[in-house]
């Protein structure tokens, strides 16, 4: 997700947190929903732009892990349900507090739940930071509709098991009917368009698992600008930009930049995750969002330069979420930093590729003093999205990856990072958490890294380093608040050397001048001189 301000390469991503009051997304999974494993969503809706309303149905194909006497799905109260069926039979239900409680008795195994409904979706006040529908017009007067749902989830407009731990393993079929002449952009591949009675029905289909907040659509006076991309593994993937017709001339250059970004991301994270579908962009009236295979783009083709080439920070950042957030998905919003922190670290790796190691280090040197550090990155377990979304998940999460790289070294770090992005145990149909990340890097390095993860992710402490003079020209340097040895760059009058330092004996150095530690800034630290 984007922040209010993004100063790429020159400083901190300064977060603008503050959603409007919304029903919670995530948190502790309710028992009725824990028993449900969603396999597939079918969504079939007609969009009435003039009335700002939706009408139609949704089908949830799921497996019940155990016999059930109740089913629970989420749908906002602004919709009115006309009928609910389970396995083709009418079922009793209540719909209040944004929850659909369905009464009955069902055995373990497959179940098919259909909900017919209609109503007015929530309107976004300040998208993408506030969720909802945006109804507006482009500069030529054509209707333009966008949907953002990261803080609220799929229940914004369709019945869902709205929890990050459960994505539809077998994907989604989404059919959206709009007035003839408009184009609907969605996730996956376009399965077909049927026009009759003044309406065009766009059927989008993805066979991949997908997080609920990426099951969205956009509608407008779009044309499609195409390009072809060959992945690092040799697969040919269509690149498609659903761009307003008035901006079509600007689309090819942005797709060129996107192709360049894809090559760099594949170098570090492995093949583009959705190679059987598409690399997609859709122009939106809001700034942007990481919707799977159809990234929302509203940066208005405003470019800077990195390495002497045009660069679009919004496209690059949101595109990185195809790996971090969409493929590697946190099953608990408590681990949100995996999406945004590692994604932001990937942004800086782009700078490293284009401008070199010094530019990469300079980024983190400038970011370090601006990290707020007012609450931990990981707040516990069973956290709701609104609570988990805080400024530091971006820069401090990225800085932690920078620290981790320094601690274990490039020969271990970069293969482990790619392993994290490609491990079948924590990608696609499986979700990930912070413990998974720690265990993977610990195993790769042969070092128990849990103290490092704990200090920087679960607390607001900085690494405390004591530099104590023990005799004229003699100094002892040791760690104070972490029980594991760490490498430190120590600078004396003889130069800079990398030494392993612990919290017991520390290391002794000789220097005519006071030693300096970590001058290249690999740690968030507090140096205490005694």
């Amino acid at each position: 997700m984007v922040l209010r301000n993004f100063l790429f390469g020159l400083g901190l991503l300064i977060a603008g947190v503050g959603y409007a009051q919304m029903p919670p997304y995530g948190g502790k999974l309710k028992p009725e929903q824990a028993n449900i494993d969603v396999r597939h969503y079918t969504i079939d809706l007609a969009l009435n732009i003039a009335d700002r309303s939706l009408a139609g149905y949704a089908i949830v194909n799921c497996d019940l892990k155990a016999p059930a006497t109740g089913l629970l799905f989420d749908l906002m109260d602004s919709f009115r349900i006309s009928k609910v069926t389970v396995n083709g039979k009418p079922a009793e239900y209540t719909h209040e507090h944004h929850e659909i409680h369905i009464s009955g008795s069902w055995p373990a195994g497959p179940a098919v739940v259909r909900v017919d409904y209609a109503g007015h979706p929530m309107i976004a006040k300040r998208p993408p930071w506030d969720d909802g529908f945006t109804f507006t017009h482009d500069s030529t007067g054509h209707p333009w509709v966008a949907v953002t749902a990261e803080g609220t989830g799929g229940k914004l407009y369709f019945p869902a098991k709205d929890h990050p731990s459960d994505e539809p393993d077998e994907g989604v079929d989404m059919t959206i009917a709009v007035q003839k002449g408009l184009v609907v952009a969605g996730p996956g591949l376009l399965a077909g368009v049927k026009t009759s009675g003044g309406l065009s029905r766009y059927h989008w289909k993805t066979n991949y698992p997908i997080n609920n907040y990426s099951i969205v659509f956009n509608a407008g006076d779009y044309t499609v600008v195409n390009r072809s991309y060959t992945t690092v593994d040799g697969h040919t993937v269509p690149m498609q930009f659903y761009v307003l017709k008035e901006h079509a001339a600007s689309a090819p250059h942005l797709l060129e930049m996107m192709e360049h970004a894809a090559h760099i991301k594949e170098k570090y994270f492995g093949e583009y995750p959705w190679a059987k579908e598409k690399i997609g962009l859709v122009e939106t009236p809001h700034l942007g969002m990481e919707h799977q295979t159809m990234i929302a783009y509203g940066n208005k083709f405003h470019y800077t330069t990195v390495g002497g080439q045009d660069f679009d920070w919004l496209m690059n950042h949101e595109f990185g979420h195809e790996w971090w957030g969409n493929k590697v998905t946190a099953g608990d919003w408590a681990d949100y930093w995996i999406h945004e922190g590692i994604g932001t670290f990937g942004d800086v790796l782009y700078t490293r590729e284009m401008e070199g190691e010094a530019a990469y280090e300079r980024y983190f040197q400038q970011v370090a003093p601006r990290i707020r550090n007012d609450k931990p990155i990981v707040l516990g377990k069973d956290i709701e999205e609104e609570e988990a979304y805080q400024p530091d998940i971006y820069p401090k999460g990225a800085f932690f990856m920078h620290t981790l790289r320094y601690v274990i070294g490039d020969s271990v770090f970069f293969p482990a990072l790619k392993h994290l992005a490609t491990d079948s145990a924590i990608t696609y149909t499986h979700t990930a958490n912070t413990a998974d990340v720690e265990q993977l890097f610990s195993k790769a390095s042969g070092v128990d890294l849990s103290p490092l993860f704990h200090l920087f992710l679960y607390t607001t402490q900085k690494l405390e380093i004591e530099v104590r003079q023990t005799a004229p020209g003699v100094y002892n340097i040791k760690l104070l608040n972490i029980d594991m040895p760490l490498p430190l760059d120590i600078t004396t009058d003889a130069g800079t050397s990398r030494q392993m330092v612990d919290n017991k004996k520390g290391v002794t150095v000789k220097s005519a001048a006071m030693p300096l530690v970590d001058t290249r800034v690999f740690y968030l630290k507090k140096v205490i001189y005694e």
Side-chain angles (χ1 to χ4, degrees):
M1 183 180 178
V2 295
L3 294 166
R4 287 183 187 172
N5 300 297
F6 191 119
L7 305 179
F8 187 89
L10 294 179
L12 176 65
L13 310 183
I14 304 170
V17 185
Y19 287 109
Q21 189 65 36
M22 299 178 298
Y25 182 18
K28 189 171 182 59
L29 190 59
K30 298 178 178 66
E32 303 99 311
Q33 290 195 323
N35 190 42
I36 297 171
D37 177 20
V38 175
R39 308 301 299 178
H40 183 270
Y41 288 111
T42 300
I43 301 166
D44 194 321
L45 298 169
L47 174 65
N48 185 327
I49 294 177
D51 189 45
R52 297 188 173 189
S53 65
L54 292 164
Y57 67 88
I59 298 172
V60 186
N61 292 77
C62 57
D63 285 335
L64 303 181
K65 301 174 186 177
T69 56
L71 303 175
L72 172 60
F73 295 95
D74 304 290
L75 178 67
M76 294 190 69
D77 290 343
S78 58
F79 293 98
R80 294 293 173 262
I81 296 173
S82 58
K83 182 173 64 174
V84 173
T85 63
V86 180
N87 298 331
K89 298 179 180 180
E92 294 185 358
Y93 65 90
T94 61
H95 180 209
E96 57 186 0
H97 307 303
H98 313 296
E99 294 181 341
I100 308 171
H101 289 266
I102 306 172
S103 302
S105 179
W106 302 277
V112 180
V113 180
R114 172 170 168 151
V115 179
D116 291 70
Y117 64 103
H120 298 270
M122 180 171 68
I123 302 301
K125 296 180 180 178
R126 193 172 51 96
W129 303 282
D130 288 321
D131 289 337
F133 277 57
T134 298
F135 292 92
T136 187
H137 294 83
D138 63 24
S139 66
T140 62
H142 292 91
W144 197 8
V145 182
V147 186
T148 51
E150 188 172 31
T152 305
K155 65 178 166 291
L156 180 72
Y157 79 102
F158 68 92
K161 176 186 173 182
D162 233 347
H163 197 275
S165 63
D166 193 5
E167 300 179 348
D169 303 68
E170 297 160 10
V172 175
D173 281 89
M174 174 197 291
T175 300
I176 303 296
V178 294
Q179 64 194 57
K180 183 179 178 180
L182 294 184
V183 175
V184 176
L189 294 174
L190 184 60
V193 183
K194 295 181 180 179
T195 300
S196 63
L199 293 177
S200 294
R201 292 169 51 83
Y202 282 79
H203 176 192
W204 285 93
K205 182 178 182 63
T206 175
N207 292 310
Y208 287 107
I210 182 171
N211 55 54
N212 284 355
Y213 67 83
S214 284
I215 306 173
V216 297
F217 64 90
N218 295 270
D221 185 35
Y222 293 129
T223 187
V224 183
V225 177
N226 293 284
R227 190 178 177 87
S228 182
Y229 178 73
T230 301
T231 73
V232 68
D233 290 345
H235 296 109
T236 300
V237 183
M239 301 181 72
Q240 298 180 338
F241 190 174
Y242 279 69
V243 61
L244 293 178
K245 291 177 181 176
E246 58 182 302
H247 299 147
S250 299
H253 186 45
L254 185 60
L255 286 179
E256 289 176 4
M257 288 187 280
M258 196 171 192
E259 179 175 354
H260 180 62
H263 286 303
I264 292 176
K265 294 182 190 303
E266 285 190 320
K267 172 182 176 179
Y268 289 104
F269 308 143
E271 187 182 38
Y272 174 70
W274 322 108
K276 295 179 181 179
E277 294 186 345
K278 70 176 184 300
I279 296 173
L281 281 169
V282 58
E283 188 173 1
T284 55
H286 60 81
L287 185 56
M289 186 66 74
E290 65 266 23
H291 301 141
Q292 186 170 306
T293 71
M294 189 62 89
I295 293 166
Y297 174 83
N299 202 33
K300 300 180 180 179
F301 310 98
H302 291 158
Y303 307 143
T304 57
T305 58
V306 174
Q309 296 188 22
D310 283 346
F311 177 73
D312 191 304
W313 68 264
L314 187 283
M315 176 275 293
N316 187 65
H317 178 76
E318 302 303 346
F319 187 43
H321 280 303
E322 296 287 32
W323 288 263
W324 306 107
N326 295 343
K327 183 184 182 185
V328 181
T329 305
D332 184 340
W333 286 115
D335 303 298
Y336 209 162
W337 77 275
I338 295 173
H339 299 192
E340 300 296 357
I342 303 181
T344 301
F345 182 74
D347 297 341
V348 192
L349 290 178
Y350 183 96
T351 296
R352 179 176 184 258
E353 283 293 306
M354 298 298 295
E355 296 186 343
E357 195 71 28
Y360 161 92
E361 289 188 12
R362 186 163 55 250
Y363 175 91
F364 286 110
Q365 290 161 5
Q366 294 172 341
V367 162
R370 304 185 191 180
I371 293 173
R372 296 184 182 185
N373 215 33
D374 52 5
K375 56 183 174 180
I377 293 293
V378 181
L379 295 171
K381 292 185 180 298
D382 299 325
I383 306 299
E384 294 175 1
E385 196 276 350
E386 187 173 359
E387 181 182 5
Y389 185 71
Q390 55 156 309
D392 278 353
I393 59 175
Y394 295 81
K396 190 178 179 184
F399 197 100
F400 175 72
M401 298 303 293
H402 173 60
T403 299
L404 187 58
R405 177 191 170 197
Y406 173 76
V407 170
I408 65 179
D410 286 2
S411 64
V412 175
F413 176 81
F414 284 117
L417 180 63
K418 184 175 290 187
H419 183 190
L420 178 63
T422 56
D423 188 343
S424 61
I426 51 175
T427 56
Y428 294 118
T429 58
H430 302 281
T431 58
N433 57 41
T434 303
D436 294 324
V437 179
E438 181 269 304
Q439 290 165 14
L440 186 147
F441 279 99
S442 290
K443 181 178 180 180
S445 64
V447 175
D448 179 7
L449 296 168
S450 57
L452 187 75
F453 274 72
H454 177 78
L455 181 70
F456 287 112
L457 298 180
Y458 292 86
T459 82
T460 58
Q461 297 179 58
K462 296 182 178 180
L463 179 64
E464 294 181 0
I465 305 167
E466 180 186 78
V467 180
R468 180 183 295 272
Q469 186 171 13
T470 58
V474 180
Y475 298 86
N476 178 261
I477 301 173
K478 70 177 182 179
L479 309 179
L480 297 181
N481 62 338
I482 190 169
D483 189 17
M484 69 175 292
L486 292 173
L488 275 182
D489 283 358
I490 300 175
T491 303
T492 68
D493 53 9
T496 300
S497 62
R498 175 181 168 119
Q499 300 190 46
M500 293 300 295
V501 181
D502 62 19
N503 66 339
K504 297 176 177 64
K505 293 183 178 180
V507 298
T508 298
V509 298
K510 295 181 179 180
S511 180
M514 177 74 74
L516 301 176
V517 295
D518 188 39
T519 57
R520 290 162 62 191
V521 192
F522 294 108
Y523 294 103
L524 297 176
K525 62 186 181 295
K526 177 181 180 182
V527 183
I528 302 168
Y529 291 94
E530 296 286 351

